[in-house]
């Protein structure tokens, strides 16, 4: 499978969101990456259901919803109702991760698990076979435009080995600090999905930048 690119809506222009969403629709991007932050799990608040509903109305590609919130189970059904196709919860926010994954799948969504930079790949050993997507955080979650953490390359390789060993179908998604200088190495290490916020939206020609990230 050739890799996927998921522009992060967090870096879009919220004063004219429709234009940026249409840009993604008309680009080579594969998914919309939608970051939900609650100000508790991470030190920032992004947006909630009304904005997601508006995104879904315009988006012609899957919504990859990344929950940086405590108690994600409580809202899984609502995210489904508002149009999430992939729902990703944080390992660090789930007391009963296995149950959270099953719940997301039972609701008819793909189940993602995100892990923070300090969280070891080994902790996914007993759940990887059930996970559809692992979102490897390559920055500390909470903000766009942060510097990529170099240790992430090693983590991708470890995760890839675990996925192969356990015969899992999980995709490896990299989130944070992805740019035109590191994307090729990320793919070479085993990344399947690249999230890009700042790199896409602060560039002169976002659609062309997406095209470059797809190469
Ligand atoms: C960070 C979010 C990311 C963010 C990535 O907590 O999960 O999805 O939007 O932004 P960049 O690509 O700018 O690092
Ligand atoms: Zn994200």
């Amino acid at each position: 499978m050739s890799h996927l690119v998921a522009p992060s809506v967090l870096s879009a222009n919220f004063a004219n969101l429709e234009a940026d969403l249409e840009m993604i629709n008309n680009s080579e991007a594969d998914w919309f990456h939608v970051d939900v932050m609650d100000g508790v799990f991470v030190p920032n608040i992004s947006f909630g259901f009304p904005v997601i509903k508006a995104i879904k109305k315009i988006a012609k590609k899957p919504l990859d919803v990344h929950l940086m919130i405590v108690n994600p189970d409580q809202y899984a059904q609502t995210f489904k109702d508002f149009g999430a196709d992939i729902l990703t919860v944080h390992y660090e926010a789930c007391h009963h991760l296995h149950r959270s994954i099953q719940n997301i799948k039972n609701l008819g969504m793909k189940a993602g698990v995100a892990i923070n930079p300090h969280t070891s790949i080994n902790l996914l050993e007993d759940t990887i076979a059930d996970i559809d997507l692992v979102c490897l955080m390559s920055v500390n979650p909470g903000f766009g435009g942060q510097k990529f953490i170099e240790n992430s390359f090693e983590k991708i390789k470890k995760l890839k080995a675990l996925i192969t060993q356990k015969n899992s179908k999980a995709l490896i998604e990299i989130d944070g600090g992805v740019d035109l200088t590191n994307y090729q190495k990320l793919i070479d290490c085993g990344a399947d999905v690249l999230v890009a916020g700042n790199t896409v939206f602060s560039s002169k020609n976002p659609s062309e930048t997406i095209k470059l990230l797809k190469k």
Side-chain angles (χ1 to χ4, degrees):
M1 183 192 93
S2 70
H3 70 278
L4 308 179
V5 170
S8 175
V9 175
L10 187 66
S11 293
N13 175 11
F14 282 83
N16 190 359
L17 192 52
E18 188 170 359
D20 281 351
L21 297 175
E22 288 295 4
M23 180 281 293
I24 297 174
N25 277 336
N26 296 323
S27 76
E28 288 183 31
D30 299 278
W31 295 347
F32 287 77
H33 186 80
V34 178
D35 289 305
V36 179
M37 306 178 183
D38 67 356
V40 179
F41 181 70
V42 287
N44 195 12
I45 298 174
S46 57
F47 48 76
F49 298 122
V51 174
I52 293 173
K53 194 176 170 189
I55 295 172
K56 187 69 182 179
K57 250 192 215 159
I58 293 167
K60 296 198 181 86
K61 297 171 183 181
L63 294 199
D64 170 32
V65 178
H66 176 193
L67 299 184
M68 285 159 273
I69 65 173
V70 297
N71 295 330
D73 297 2
Q74 196 180 331
Y75 302 103
Q77 175 73 64
T78 316
F79 281 107
K80 168 71 183 171
D81 296 342
F82 280 98
D85 297 283
I86 303 136
L87 192 66
T88 296
V89 295
H90 262 265
Y91 174 90
E92 303 83 4
C94 295
H95 293 297
H96 303 285
L97 185 63
H98 185 271
R99 180 185 288 151
S100 304
I101 294 166
Q102 298 310 324
N103 182 34
I104 293 169
K105 288 180 160 184
N106 290 340
L107 290 169
M109 296 175 282
K110 297 275 186 206
V113 175
I115 63 168
N116 280 337
H118 73 269
T119 301
S120 167
I121 297 295
N122 299 333
L123 295 167
L124 296 177
E125 206 180 309
D126 295 310
T127 42
I128 193 70
D130 298 309
I131 297 174
D132 296 307
L133 172 137
V134 177
C135 177
L136 263 187
M137 292 309 302
S138 37
V139 297
N140 286 296
F143 303 92
Q146 300 184 83
K147 192 177 177 296
F148 180 84
I149 297 171
E150 294 289 321
N151 182 47
S152 310
F153 292 119
E154 274 313 302
K155 285 183 86 172
I156 301 175
K157 290 184 204 162
K158 274 189 197 160
L159 178 56
K160 187 87 192 165
L162 180 66
I163 287 171
T164 308
Q165 183 204 337
K166 298 282 185 182
N167 224 347
S168 163
K169 292 196 170 58
L171 297 178
I172 302 176
E173 177 175 71
I174 311 303
D175 189 6
V178 173
D179 62 25
L180 292 169
T181 70
N182 60 22
Y183 84 101
Q184 187 59 57
K185 189 169 171 191
L186 292 167
I187 294 159
D188 293 343
C189 288
D192 300 298
V193 187
L194 302 177
V195 174
N198 188 55
T199 293
V200 167
F201 288 101
S202 70
S203 69
K204 275 215 179 85
N205 188 337
S207 176
E208 190 58 32
T209 304
I210 292 168
K211 193 175 185 174
L212 292 173
L213 289 168
K214 280 291 285 180
K215 270 193 186 151

Coordinates of all heavy atoms in Angstrom, one line a residue, residues 91-120:
Y91 N -3.8 5.9 24.6 CA -3.5 4.9 25.5 C -3.5 5.4 26.9 O -4.0 4.8 27.8 CB -2.1 4.3 25.1 CG -1.5 3.3 26.1 CD1 -1.8 2.0 25.9 CD2 -0.8 3.7 27.2 CE1 -1.3 1.0 26.9 CE2 -0.3 2.8 28.2 CZ -0.6 1.5 28.0 OH -0.2 0.5 28.9
E92 N -2.9 6.6 27.1 CA -2.7 7.2 28.4 C -4.1 7.7 29.0 O -4.1 8.0 30.2 CB -1.7 8.4 28.4 CG -0.4 8.0 27.8 CD -0.3 8.0 26.3 OE1 -1.3 8.4 25.6 OE2 0.7 7.7 25.7
A93 N -5.1 7.7 28.2 CA -6.4 8.2 28.7 C -7.4 7.1 29.0 O -8.5 7.4 29.4 CB -7.0 9.2 27.7
C94 N -7.0 5.9 28.7 CA -7.9 4.7 28.8 C -7.5 3.8 29.9 O -6.5 3.2 29.9 CB -8.0 4.0 27.5 SG -8.7 5.0 26.2
H95 N -8.4 3.6 30.9 CA -8.2 2.6 31.9 C -8.4 1.2 31.4 O -7.8 0.2 31.9 CB -9.1 2.8 33.1 CG -8.8 4.1 33.8 ND1 -7.6 4.4 34.5 CD2 -9.6 5.2 34.0 CE1 -7.7 5.6 35.0 NE2 -8.8 6.1 34.7
H96 N -9.3 1.1 30.5 CA -9.7 -0.3 29.9 C -9.6 -0.2 28.4 O -10.6 -0.2 27.7 CB -11.1 -0.7 30.4 CG -11.2 -0.7 31.9 ND1 -10.7 -1.6 32.7 CD2 -11.7 0.3 32.7 CE1 -10.9 -1.3 34.0 NE2 -11.6 -0.2 34.0
L97 N -8.4 -0.2 27.9 CA -8.1 0.1 26.5 C -8.8 -0.9 25.6 O -9.4 -0.6 24.6 CB -6.6 0.1 26.2 CG -6.2 0.5 24.8 CD1 -6.7 1.9 24.4 CD2 -4.7 0.4 24.6
H98 N -8.7 -2.2 26.0 CA -9.4 -3.3 25.2 C -10.8 -3.0 25.0 O -11.4 -3.1 23.9 CB -9.1 -4.6 25.9 CG -9.6 -5.8 25.1 ND1 -10.9 -6.3 25.2 CD2 -9.0 -6.5 24.1 CE1 -11.0 -7.3 24.3 NE2 -9.9 -7.4 23.7
R99 N -11.5 -2.6 26.1 CA -12.9 -2.3 26.0 C -13.2 -1.1 25.1 O -14.1 -1.1 24.3 CB -13.5 -2.0 27.4 CG -14.9 -1.7 27.4 CD -15.4 -1.3 28.8 NE -15.5 -2.4 29.7 CZ -15.3 -2.3 31.0 NH1 -15.0 -1.2 31.6 NH2 -15.4 -3.4 31.8
S100 N -12.3 -0.1 25.2 CA -12.5 1.1 24.4 C -12.4 0.8 22.9 O -13.2 1.3 22.1 CB -11.4 2.2 24.7 OG -11.5 2.5 26.1
I101 N -11.4 -0.1 22.6 CA -11.2 -0.5 21.2 C -12.5 -1.2 20.7 O -13.0 -1.0 19.6 CB -10.0 -1.3 21.1 CG1 -8.7 -0.5 21.4 CG2 -9.9 -2.0 19.7 CD1 -7.5 -1.4 21.6
Q102 N -12.9 -2.2 21.5 CA -14.1 -3.0 21.1 C -15.3 -2.1 20.9 O -16.1 -2.2 20.0 CB -14.4 -4.1 22.1 CG -13.3 -5.1 22.3 CD -12.8 -5.7 21.0 OE1 -13.5 -5.9 20.0 NE2 -11.5 -6.0 20.9
N103 N -15.5 -1.2 21.8 CA -16.6 -0.2 21.7 C -16.6 0.6 20.4 O -17.6 0.7 19.8 CB -16.5 0.7 23.0 CG -17.7 1.7 23.0 OD1 -18.8 1.3 22.7 ND2 -17.4 2.9 23.5
I104 N -15.5 1.1 20.0 CA -15.3 1.9 18.8 C -15.7 1.0 17.6 O -16.5 1.4 16.7 CB -13.9 2.4 18.7 CG1 -13.7 3.5 19.8 CG2 -13.7 3.1 17.3 CD1 -12.2 3.9 19.9
K105 N -15.2 -0.2 17.6 CA -15.4 -1.1 16.5 C -16.9 -1.5 16.4 O -17.5 -1.6 15.4 CB -14.6 -2.4 16.6 CG -13.1 -2.1 16.3 CD -12.4 -3.5 16.5 CE -11.1 -3.5 15.8 NZ -10.5 -4.8 15.9
N106 N -17.5 -1.8 17.6 CA -18.9 -2.2 17.6 C -19.8 -1.0 17.1 O -20.9 -1.3 16.6 CB -19.3 -2.5 19.0 CG -18.7 -3.9 19.5 OD1 -18.3 -4.7 18.6 ND2 -18.7 -4.1 20.8
L107 N -19.3 0.2 17.2 CA -20.1 1.3 16.7 C -19.9 1.5 15.2 O -20.5 2.4 14.6 CB -19.7 2.6 17.5 CG -20.1 2.7 18.9 CD1 -19.4 3.9 19.6 CD2 -21.6 2.9 19.0
G108 N -19.0 0.7 14.6 CA -18.9 0.7 13.2 C -17.8 1.7 12.7 O -17.7 2.0 11.5
M109 N -16.9 2.0 13.6 CA -15.7 2.9 13.2 C -14.4 2.0 13.2 O -14.4 1.0 13.9 CB -15.6 4.1 14.1 CG -16.8 5.0 14.1 SD -16.6 6.4 15.3 CE -17.1 5.5 16.8
K110 N -13.4 2.5 12.6 CA -12.1 2.0 12.7 C -11.5 2.5 14.1 O -11.7 3.6 14.4 CB -11.1 2.4 11.6 CG -11.6 1.9 10.2 CD -11.1 0.5 10.0 CE -11.4 0.1 8.5 NZ -11.5 -1.4 8.4
A111 N -10.8 1.6 14.8 CA -10.3 1.9 16.1 C -8.8 2.3 16.1 O -8.0 1.4 15.7 CB -10.5 0.8 17.1
G112 N -8.5 3.5 16.5 CA -7.1 3.9 16.6 C -6.7 4.1 18.0 O -7.5 4.4 18.9
V113 N -5.4 3.9 18.3 CA -4.8 4.1 19.6 C -3.6 5.0 19.4 O -2.7 4.7 18.6 CB -4.4 2.8 20.3 CG1 -3.7 3.1 21.6 CG2 -5.6 1.9 20.6
A114 N -3.6 6.1 20.1 CA -2.5 7.1 20.0 C -1.6 6.9 21.2 O -2.1 6.6 22.3 CB -3.0 8.5 20.0
I115 N -0.3 7.0 21.0 CA 0.6 6.9 22.2 C 1.6 8.1 22.2 O 2.1 8.6 21.2 CB 1.5 5.6 22.2 CG1 2.4 5.4 21.0 CG2 0.5 4.4 22.4 CD1 3.4 4.2 21.2
N116 N 1.7 8.6 23.4 CA 2.6 9.8 23.6 C 4.1 9.4 23.4 O 4.4 8.2 23.5 CB 2.4 10.3 25.0 CG 1.1 11.2 25.1 OD1 0.6 11.7 24.1 ND2 0.6 11.3 26.3
P117 N 4.9 10.4 23.2 CA 6.3 10.1 23.0 C 7.0 9.3 24.2 O 7.9 8.6 23.9 CB 7.0 11.5 22.9 CG 5.9 12.4 22.4 CD 4.6 11.9 23.0
H118 N 6.5 9.5 25.4 CA 7.1 8.7 26.5 C 6.6 7.3 26.6 O 7.1 6.5 27.5 CB 6.8 9.5 27.8 CG 5.4 9.4 28.3 ND1 4.4 10.3 28.0 CD2 4.8 8.5 29.1 CE1 3.3 9.9 28.5 NE2 3.5 8.8 29.2
T119 N 5.5 6.9 25.9 CA 4.9 5.6 26.0 C 5.6 4.6 25.1 O 5.8 4.8 23.9 CB 3.4 5.7 25.7 OG1 2.8 6.7 26.6 CG2 2.7 4.4 25.9
S120 N 5.9 3.4 25.8 CA 6.7 2.4 25.1 C 5.8 1.6 24.1 O 4.6 1.3 24.5 CB 7.3 1.5 26.1 OG 7.8 0.3 25.4

